[in-house]
């Protein structure tokens, strides 16, 4: 639409002079300098017109009439331009160049016309502090390249181009820091994003100092190009910016003029498509066809210079020391060399002279696996032999095999598989310089040309070869690299350790800032692939053309790589022998087997144990799994099978954590950076299962060109697969990225140590105070994990504890949280604590978790009901028995029978008591009468008491003799009246003459 409006305006300018009234005449006729030619928009037939456009409308008359133009698809070749007067292609003059149907932007002293930089914030909080705005963030021209922002603001570099035919855009970039997201995408004139695959939208990381080239096809019509950066800056970390240069667009209709060569370059012949850089010690101006030499006596110029500079007096910063290679006598010495190219002057006032070399000294010994054979150089031992570097190479004994690898601890010359270089983004002064220098017992960073140079050291490993006895199918570790280093800095130096797998992209494994004490770092390779390890040292990241911190240095004392496929051997290790007696050749052991030191045979590790990758020979190489854990069938790792049992006293609790799910996720936050950018930390946790059920954290902004199949096989890809991992999530924003971004995925735990109700396991503490408990009826279960990957703040690696707590009021999935005192999940940066509360963490139900309630008897029926014991602290397992209804008649009969028997017995006892009481009274009375009668005749003593009570008469006693046949009651009385085992009968005699008692 803008092109159409421009065409209407131009047409109006052409027609305007023709519409003047007859009485008005122009002052003069137009000449070729008063106008220029342009083409109109193409019509539906693909045709267009050439029209003349006045430089100053109305200043002259007599403009040329519109003529038929070339076809819309017409274009000139590279090195030519379209001469509009004749509408023919013409060669560019010397000192200029043309791409024909393309345009190039390679000079960035200022932002070229048509480019714009737009900054927005990822944070969408309208109430954030105004000081945290992104108004100062932009792409900055730096002469030969553009530099992106260094903060978390989203900054877009925008350029719109209209193509008459299909074309492409190509540019070079540096993208060294994964903390900064970098994407390139295209929109049409309706602001709709073009369809792009992920590998053309998200740019891959590059090596420090390495330029990568990226090409994307363009469609005909309007294309709006976006280069967008943005990230999350946490703490005091400084993000490395993205660099961009040499943007070239193909597919434009034509170019009506040639571009002059920029200063420092030239084109000596007509029809050039590029300009060459001026050689060293020469310079050129704008649009030059040749370069002018400098007066090298007092001046110098770098390659591609626009002027000559005066040579300064030499100083200590202009030379460096090295150790010479060993001579034929086995001697070496320290010598000093000028930094090349030498730009300083000697013999002038204040100039330093080159110091003399040191005294000769004995060369260091050969590295392990090498021998010198009385020569000045060290050679690798032949295959199958070994040496400690001091002795001649020896053959490995029978039943052993050489341990392959590199072990560099003496530095006389750089090993053949290592390279060193120097690189500076802003200039090429150090391109030919040596980045690192050998210094007998260590290798240290070189002088460089300026303080912000990258001093690079690289070692390439073509692959890894496991010992014969180790199965590649069960290997959890294919090799490892270990190096010992230190840094001494007065500025803000940084030391990088990087890795490049399969030449895909270079990732920063670890970095250290400022001075670091002498320490050792180890990285483990879990995939077998070619890899390049790179060390880079930068004294400061601030642009600099001078060297102020030349004494800031990084030193590497030793580098060891195990199982390198082209390595040498410093020792031999035992191996398994063939079962054939006549053969002593080493054979591979099946997965999970170790070598028996006595029989040299392969024996399987015991159940629930894992095989250490670097363990000792023999059964000691099998390590038992921790509590409540088991090993996989290949004995590679230990894991939980989701079942846990705890016994306390005579009570056993059984847990089944599979109800919690295969993995748990937690996103805590939000958090905000210093500029207000919102981000989250997402944790993925896998409690149970082996390799097939690991938690996965995946980046969606880097290395996306690696296919999913490759990403699973190659280390350094964008996916982290382990027990516990963490990702940084940047939410989608209308002003920022169109979708949520996941980046900075890290491994927190790759080893399962065990599960227990204790608070400590292998030195890792659970800290129960972080999660206060309300009830202790069911104990918390702690899952302990560890990662052996060391970091700058956690040299011995990270650890993690997942605390599971039973809460019957929650769902089986429950909630996963971190301590309120440590919202990042860790209080010290090394030990992470997670709290998983759910009903799925409750023990399995058993019969002791419910009880019986008996209902009342109604209508001869009674209910038998089982209910859970409250509070119910179990899940699954045993279920409640069903409700039962049973008849209650039999029970009532026995109750009635028992009640009747009880009543009868009570009545009987009361009756007997009354009877015997009365009987006792009668006997007492009779006895008294008997005593009284005896006293009258025999003068016996008088009874103490009278048996006849007042109110009683003798006449009341019966006079007649009564004889009764003993009845049942009488028999009972007789039994009760027995004395001394004799029975008796009571007969009462009654006569008128005698009152005596007769006993028979």
């Amino acid at each position: 639409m803008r092109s159409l409006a421009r065409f209407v305006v131009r047409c109006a300018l052409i027609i305007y002079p023709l519409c003047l009234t007859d009485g008005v005449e122009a002052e003069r006729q137009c000449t070729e300098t008063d106008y220029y030619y342009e083409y109109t928009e193409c019509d539906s037939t693909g045709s267009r017109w050439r029209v003349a456009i006045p430089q100053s409308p109305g200043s002259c008359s007599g403009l040329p009439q519109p003529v038929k133009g070339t076809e819309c698809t017409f274009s000139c070749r590279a090195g030519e331009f379209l001469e509009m007067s004749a509408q023919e292609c013409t060669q560019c003059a010397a000192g200029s160049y043309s791409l024909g149907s393309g345009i190039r932007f390679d000079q960035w002293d200022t932002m070229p016309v048509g480019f714009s930089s737009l900054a927005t914030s990822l944070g969408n909080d309208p109430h954030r502090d105004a000081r945290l705005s992104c108004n100062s963030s932009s792409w900055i021209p730096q002469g030969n390249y553009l530099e992106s922002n260094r903060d978390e603001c989203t900054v877009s570099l925008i350029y719109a181009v209209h193509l008459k035919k299909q074309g492409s855009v190509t540019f070079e970039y540096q993208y060294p820091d994964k903390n900064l997201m970098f994407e390139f995408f295209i929109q049409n004139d309706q602001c709709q994003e073009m369809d792009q695959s992920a590998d053309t939208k998200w740019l891959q990381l590059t090596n420090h100092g390495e330029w990568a080239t990226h090409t994307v096809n363009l469609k005909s019509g309007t294309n709006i190009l976006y280069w967008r950066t943005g990230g999350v800056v946490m703490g005091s970390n400084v993000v490395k910016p993205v660099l961009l240069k040499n943007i070239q667009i193909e597919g434009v209709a034509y170019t009506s003029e040639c571009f002059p060569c920029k200063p420092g370059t030239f084109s000596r012949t007509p029809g050039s498509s590029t300009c060459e850089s001026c050689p060293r010690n020469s310079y050129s101006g704008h649009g030059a066809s040749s370069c002018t030499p400098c007066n090298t006596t007092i001046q110098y110029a770098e390659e591609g210079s626009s002027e000559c500079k005066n040579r300064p007096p030499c100083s200590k910063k202009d030379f460096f020391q090295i150790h010479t290679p060993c001579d034929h006598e086995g001697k070496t010495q320290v010598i000093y060399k000028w930094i090349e190219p030498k730009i300083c002057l000697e013999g002038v006032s204040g100039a330093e002279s080159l110091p003399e070399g040191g005294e000769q000294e004995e060369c260091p010994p050969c590295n392990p696996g090498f021998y010198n054979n009385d020569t000045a150089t060290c050679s690798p031992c032949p295959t199958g032999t070994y040496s400690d570097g001091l002795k001649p190479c020896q053959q490995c004994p029978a039943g052993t095999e050489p341990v392959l690898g590199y072990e560099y601890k003496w530095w006389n010359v750089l090993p053949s598989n290592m390279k060193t270089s120097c690189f500076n983004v802003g200039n090429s002064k150090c391109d030919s310089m040596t980045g690192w220098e050998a210094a007998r017992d260590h290798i240290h960073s070189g002088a460089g040309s300026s303080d912000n140079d990258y001093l690079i050291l690289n070692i390439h490993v073509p692959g890894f070869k496991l010992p014969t006895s180790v199965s590649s199918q069960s290997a959890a570790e294919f090799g490892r690299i270990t190096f010992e280093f230190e840094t001494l800095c007065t500025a803000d130096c940084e030391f990088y350790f990087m890795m490049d797998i399969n030449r895909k992209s270079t990732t920063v494994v670890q970095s250290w800032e400022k001075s670091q004490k002498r320490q050792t770092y180890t990285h483990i390779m879990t995939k077998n692939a070619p890899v390049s390890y790179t060390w880079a040292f930068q004294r400061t990241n601030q642009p600099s053309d001078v060297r102020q911190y030349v004494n800031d240095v990084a030193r590497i004392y030793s580098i060891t790589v195990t199982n390198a496929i082209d390595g040498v051997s410093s020792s031999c290790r035992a191996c398994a022998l063939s079962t054939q007696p006549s053969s002593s050749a080493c054979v591979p052991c099946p997965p999970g087997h170790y070598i028996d030191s006595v029989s040299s045979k392969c024996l399987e590790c015991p159940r629930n144990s894992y095989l250490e990758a670097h363990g000792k020979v023999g059964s000691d190489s099998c390590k038992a799994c921790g509590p409540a854990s088991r090993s996989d069938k290949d004995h590679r790792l230990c894991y939980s099978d989701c079942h846990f049992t705890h016994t306390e006293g005579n009570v056993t609790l059984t847990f089944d954590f599979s109800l919690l799910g295969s993995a748990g996720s937690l996103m805590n936050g939000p958090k905000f950076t210093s500029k207000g950018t919102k981000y989250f930390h997402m944790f993925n946790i896998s409690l149970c299962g082996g390799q097939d059920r690991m938690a996965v954290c995946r980046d969606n902004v880097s290395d996306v060109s690696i296919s999913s199949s490759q990403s699973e096989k190659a280390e350094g890809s964008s996916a982290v697969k382990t027990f516990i991992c963490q990702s940084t999530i940047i939410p989608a924003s209308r002003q920022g990225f169109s979708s949520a971004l996941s980046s900075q995925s890290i491994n927190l735990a790759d080893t399962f140590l065990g599960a227990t109700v204790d608070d400590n396991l292998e030195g890792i503490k659970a800290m129960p105070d972080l999660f206060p408990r309300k009830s202790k009826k069911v104990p918390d279960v702690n899952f302990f994990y560890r990662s052996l990957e060391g970091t700058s703040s956690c040299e011995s690696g990270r650890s993690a504890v997942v605390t599971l707590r039973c809460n019957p009021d929650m769902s089986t999935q429950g909630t996963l949280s971190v301590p309120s005192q440590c919202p990042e999940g860790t209080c010290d940066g090394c030990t992470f604590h997670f709290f998983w509360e759910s009903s799925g963490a409750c023990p399995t139900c058993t019969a002791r978790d419910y009880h019986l309630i008996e209902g009342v008897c109604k209508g001869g029926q009674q209910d038998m009901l089982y209910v859970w014991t409250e509070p119910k602290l179990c899940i699954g397992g045993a279920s409640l028995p069903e409700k039962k209804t049973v008849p209650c008649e039999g029970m009532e009969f026995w109750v009635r029978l028992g009640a009747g028997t009880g009543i009868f017995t009570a009545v009987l006892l009361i009756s007997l008591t009354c009877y015997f009481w009365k009987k006792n009274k009668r006997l007492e009375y009779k006895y008294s009468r008997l005593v009284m009668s005896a006293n009258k005749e025999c003068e016996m003593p008088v009874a103490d008491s009278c048996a006849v009570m007042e109110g009683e008469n003798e006449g009341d006693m019966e006079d007649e003799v009564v004889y009764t046949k003993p009845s049942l009651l009488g028999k009972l009385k007789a039994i009760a009246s027995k004395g001394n085992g004799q029975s008796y009968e009571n007969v009462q005699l009654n006569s008128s003459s005698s009152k005596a008692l007769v006993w028979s």
Side-chain angles (χ1 to χ4, degrees), residues 632-662:
D632 58 1
K633 63 179 181 179
D634 293 338
H635 298 277
R636 285 186 296 176
L637 54 80
C638 299
Y639 65 94
S640 169
D641 61 355
C642 282
H643 292 86
F644 178 79
T645 302
H646 172 64
T647 301
E648 186 172 354
N650 60 351
V651 177
T652 299
L653 300 178
T654 302
F655 298 81
D656 183 5
F657 297 124
S658 60
L659 301 175
L660 293 172
S662 59

Side-chain angles (χ1 to χ4, degrees), residues 622-889:
C622 298
K623 300 297 181 182
C625 294
S629 65
R630 58 182 299 179
S631 63
D632 58 1
K633 63 179 181 179
D634 293 338
H635 298 277
R636 285 186 296 176
L637 54 80
C638 299
Y639 65 94
S640 169
D641 61 355
C642 282
H643 292 86
F644 178 79
T645 302
H646 172 64
T647 301
E648 186 172 354
N650 60 351
V651 177
T652 299
L653 300 178
T654 302
F655 298 81
D656 183 5
F657 297 124
S658 60
L659 301 175
L660 293 172
S662 59
S665 295
L666 164 67
M667 184 179 292
N668 64 343
K671 304 174 184 64
F672 298 89
T673 62
S674 59
K675 279 189 175 291
T677 301
K678 180 190 296 184
Y679 69 95
F680 300 84
H681 277 159
M682 186 179 74
F683 300 93
N684 287 335
I685 300 175
S686 175
L687 282 179
C688 313
Q691 292 282 359
D692 56 336
R693 296 181 65 183
M694 290 288 191
V696 179
C697 294
R698 189 181 301 276
D699 293 351
N700 62 359
V701 294
S702 62
D703 290 345
V704 290
S705 61
I706 303 178
S707 65
S708 59
S709 60
Q710 289 176 321
S711 65
E712 294 179 358
K713 298 180 180 180
E715 182 158 326
S717 66
S718 57
V720 174
K721 188 176 182 181
T722 184
F723 284 107
I724 303 177
C725 58
Q726 172 190 302
S727 295
T728 300
I729 306 298
I730 305 174
S733 171
R734 290 179 301 172
Q735 298 176 336
F737 298 102
S738 57
S739 60
L741 304 181
S742 173
S743 66
Q744 305 176 29
S745 297
I746 58 175
N747 168 29
L748 296 182
D750 52 20
T751 303
F752 177 62
L753 301 180
T756 175
V757 297
D758 297 332
D759 297 335
N760 194 314
L761 183 63
E762 295 191 19
I764 303 175
K765 295 184 178 180
M767 299 181 67
D769 294 340
L770 296 176
F771 312 106
R773 298 179 60 181
K774 297 180 180 179
S775 173
K776 296 185 178 180
K777 292 184 178 181
V778 177
D780 291 345
V781 181
N782 298 312
F783 278 62
F784 291 86
Y785 300 88
R786 174 174 286 153
S787 172
L788 298 179
E789 294 183 6
T791 64
S792 56
S793 58
C794 308
E795 295 181 1
S796 59
R798 300 183 179 96
S799 58
V801 182
V802 181
T803 300
L804 304 182
R805 178 172 297 172
C806 169
N807 188 338
D809 297 329
M810 304 185 73
S811 64
T812 55
Q813 189 68 31
T815 58
L816 189 61
S817 61
V818 295
S820 58
Q821 301 93 320
C822 312
E824 297 289 337
T826 176
C827 301
D828 58 4
C830 298
T831 302
F832 289 76
H833 299 272
F834 302 95
F835 182 56
W836 201 335
E837 187 176 17
S838 75
S839 59
C842 294
T844 303
C845 295
T846 62
R848 66 173 175 269
D849 293 310
Y850 59 81
H851 60 275
L852 174 65
I853 297 179
E854 299 179 0
V856 297
C857 188
K858 294 182 178 180
Q861 299 292 322
Q862 185 180 26
D863 292 335
M864 310 293 288
L865 180 65
Y866 293 87
V867 295
W868 293 109
T869 302
E870 294 295 337
K872 181 187 177 185
L873 298 175
C874 64
I875 188 172
S879 57
L880 284 176
E882 295 182 358
K883 176 183 176 181
K884 297 180 180 179
T885 301
V886 297
C888 53
E889 289 182 352

Side-chain angles (χ1 to χ4, degrees), residues 9 26 45 50 119 186 239 355 477 558 570 644 687 751 754 793 844 948:
V9 172
T45 63
R50 187 200 70 180
I186 307 163
V239 176
E477 173 183 330
S558 65
S570 61
F644 178 79
L687 282 179
T751 303
S793 58
T844 303
V948 181

Side-chain angles (χ1 to χ4, degrees), residues 349-403:
S349 177
E352 290 279 348
S353 300
L354 192 67
E356 296 181 358
E359 296 182 359
Q360 286 193 338
E361 55 186 2
E362 292 291 333
C363 284
C366 293
N367 282 307
F370 291 82
Y371 72 102
N372 59 15
N373 200 18
D374 296 329
T375 62
T377 59
C378 295
S379 302
C381 287
T383 303
T385 64
Y386 71 98
S387 172
D388 60 357
L390 301 175
K391 300 176 182 178
C393 299
Q394 302 177 24
Q395 194 75 26
C396 284
T400 64
E401 61 180 333
V403 180

